[in-house]
Amino acid sequence: DIQMTQSPSTLSASVGDRVTITCRASQSISRWLAWYQQKPGKAPKLLIYKASSLESGVPSRFSGSGSGTEFTLTISSLQPDDFATYYCQHYNDYLWTFGQGTKVEIK
Amino acid sequence: QITLKESGPTLVKPTQTLTLTCTFSGFSLTSGGVGVGWIRQPPGKALEWLALIYWDDDKRYSPSLKNRLTITKDTSKNQVVLTMTNMDPVDTATYFCAHSGSIPAYFDYWGQGTLVTVSS
C-alpha cells in the first residue's frame, strides 16, 4: 500500500507569512494528489487536484506543486481564514490514501 | 448545486451492523465518470477512505476494511448506502460521503458528516 507522510504535523505562523507543507508518497504516484483544508467540526474542502490544479473558487494564494513522490502546498500570504488543518490525498481508480494532516496554528 | 447529506444512527452497540445513507442532489449517479465515496474521521484523528461506488456500479473498498463493508446505490432515490458489520468502539468516528466527477476520483463536494459512536 502507498503511504502518504506530511510534514510538519503542526506549523505555527503569522498572518502574512508564506507557508509550505510537504507531502511525501512511499512510491511514485505521478501527479495524482489532492489537497484539502478542514476546519474544526466541518467537512474537508478541496483546494488542489492533480498536484497543481486550483479548484474553482479557491483563492490564488494557494498553490500546489510536485510529482512522483514529493509534493508541496504553499500559501503565499497566510490569511486569518487559513488557520486550519490541511490533508494531502493520493487518488487513483482503486485506492485513496490521506496523509496524517498538518495543523496550521496562529503564532 | 451539488449537496450531500449523511444519515443514520448516532449510537450503535459493539458487534452490530452500521447502515449509513448518503442522500444527494444536484447530480446523477447514472452520469459517466461520477462516483460517491465514504470517508471517516475518528475524533481528533486523520481522514480515512472507506469505499467508493461509480456510476457504472463498479465498487472499491479499503483493503483493511474490505471484509466488513458493502456499498450500494439507489439511483431512483439519489442515495448511496454504506454498511459496516461487526462494529467496534474504534469505529467511533464522523462519517462523510463525498462526490467525485472525475476519473481518477478526487472528492470535490462533501456532506457535513455524521458522528457515529460505538458503545455498549
Side-chain angles (χ1 to χ4, degrees), chain A residues 1 32 34 36 38 42-44 46 49 55 87 89 91-96 98-100, chain B residues 39 41 45-49 52 54 60-61 63 96 103-108 110-112:
Chain A
D1 290 358
W32 301 120
Y36 300 86
Q38 188 181 32
K42 300 295 186 182
L46 176 68
Y49 61 94
E55 172 71 352
Y87 292 93
Q89 179 207 28
Y91 61 96
N92 51 32
D93 61 359
Y94 62 90
L95 198 62
W96 290 258
F98 289 92
Q100 82 277 18
Chain B
I39 302 98
Q41 185 173 40
K45 296 189 177 180
L47 300 163
E48 178 186 18
W49 169 72
L52 183 140
Y54 286 109
R60 300 284 185 257
Y61 295 102
F96 298 96
I103 296 176
Y106 56 85
F107 302 116
D108 50 4
W110 292 64
Q112 64 190 23

Side-chain angles (χ1 to χ4, degrees), chain A residues 31-65:
Chain A
R31 293 174 59 81
W32 301 120
L33 188 97
W35 289 97
Y36 300 86
Q37 176 195 67
Q38 188 181 32
K39 297 182 179 179
K42 300 295 186 182
K45 173 187 174 183
L46 176 68
L47 301 175
I48 302 282
Y49 61 94
K50 208 170 181 183
S52 61
S53 295
L54 192 68
E55 172 71 352
S56 177
V58 173
S60 58
R61 63 180 180 273
F62 292 93
S63 64
S65 65

